[in-house]
Amino acid sequence: PGGSILMTSAPMSPSSCPQNGPASRVPSSSTRRLPRGPFSKLVAAIAADSEDAWAHTALASVYFSKRRLDHSLGEFEVALQLNPNFSLAQGYYALALSYCGRWQDAFAATQRAIRQSPRDPSSAIYYGVAAYAQFVGRNYQEAIALAREATRQRGDLSGAYRVLTVAAGMTGQIEVARAALQELRRTQPNISLTWIATQLPWKLDAD
């Protein structure tokens, strides 16, 4: 799945996230009834080979884009059970965990992704997700350091610039925040307070 699918998404309701226990309690796609439409090809792929970690990861991404985080987390966990060294699944699983407020689990998943594939072309995204996890945990200095590493690796990663802007603002580093905001506007010209309020899928208002 591409970064654009998971790094930006429409708002989700608090009921979208599992409240207690691991998301793997959600039945996998092989045992629950799934809707047609965008799911049909992925469902067919999983029906043909239920041990295809890529298919489960792709389905998890579709669920994420539909704001069905309980099912998304469940599919990511199935993928990682099938292939624990699947760094891409680890990284995007971390993002879904972050949106549920499970920032510690999210950060741990990003570290597994980075450790498993340190030269991965998606490494910048893993650092960006790690930065967001630390921001959710209100560890702003750590978020700044990780966001800087993400943007060092990939200068067009708008999600990392968003984290860097707000984390620097929260710590009173106004010049850093201004510079990051300038880069953010370069990489995401449509950024606005309205966009932030309507497009980032926070579970809790406090986030």
Side-chain angles (χ1 to χ4, degrees):
S4 60
I5 295 176
L6 293 177
M7 295 299 283
T8 60
S9 176
M12 63 181 67
S13 67
S15 61
S16 302
C17 295
Q19 299 298 312
N20 297 295
S24 56
R25 291 179 182 172
V26 177
S28 73
S29 56
S30 61
T31 60
R32 65 172 179 264
R33 184 178 180 182
L34 293 171
R36 297 182 182 275
F39 296 85
S40 58
K41 291 183 179 180
L42 292 171
V43 172
I46 292 173
D49 182 3
S50 63
E51 296 187 357
D52 184 346
W54 273 101
H56 284 286
T57 298
L59 184 57
S61 301
V62 174
Y63 276 129
F64 186 100
S65 71
K66 299 296 182 181
R67 303 182 298 279
R68 297 173 63 178
L69 276 218
D70 53 346
H71 292 87
S72 178
L73 290 174
E75 291 297 335
F76 278 128
E77 290 181 354
V78 171
L80 291 169
Q81 288 168 7
L82 293 169
N83 183 359
N85 296 318
F86 193 173
S87 58
L88 190 68
Q90 291 278 11
Y92 287 142
Y93 175 51
L95 186 61
L97 287 168
S98 292
Y99 284 135
C100 276
R102 294 170 57 184
W103 68 271
Q104 292 165 309
D105 292 336
F107 183 73
T110 64
Q111 299 312 287
R112 289 193 295 271
I114 294 168
R115 183 172 61 252
Q116 289 166 352
S117 189
R119 294 181 177 84
D120 195 314
S122 297
S123 177
I125 293 176
Y126 306 154
Y127 276 99
V129 176
Y132 181 65
Q134 291 293 345
F135 178 79
V136 173
R138 294 172 173 75
N139 300 314
Y140 302 123
Q141 292 293 354
E142 290 86 347
I144 290 170
L146 290 162
R148 279 176 163 161
E149 176 59 22
T151 58
R152 183 192 70 79
Q153 293 189 21
R154 182 173 158 183
D156 64 343
L157 194 61
S158 58
Y161 284 120
R162 290 197 298 269
V163 174
L164 182 55
T165 300
V166 295
M170 292 297 291
T171 58
Q173 300 179 57
I174 305 304
E175 292 306 314
V176 173
R178 285 175 177 166
L181 180 59
Q182 183 176 354
E183 290 300 306
L184 175 56
R185 286 172 172 161
R186 174 182 64 83
T187 59
Q188 187 183 353
N190 69 331
I191 188 66
S192 67
L193 292 177
T194 299
W195 187 94
I196 291 171
T198 59
Q199 297 301 310
L200 295 183
W202 293 308
K203 175 186 175 184
L204 303 174
D205 290 340
D207 292 337

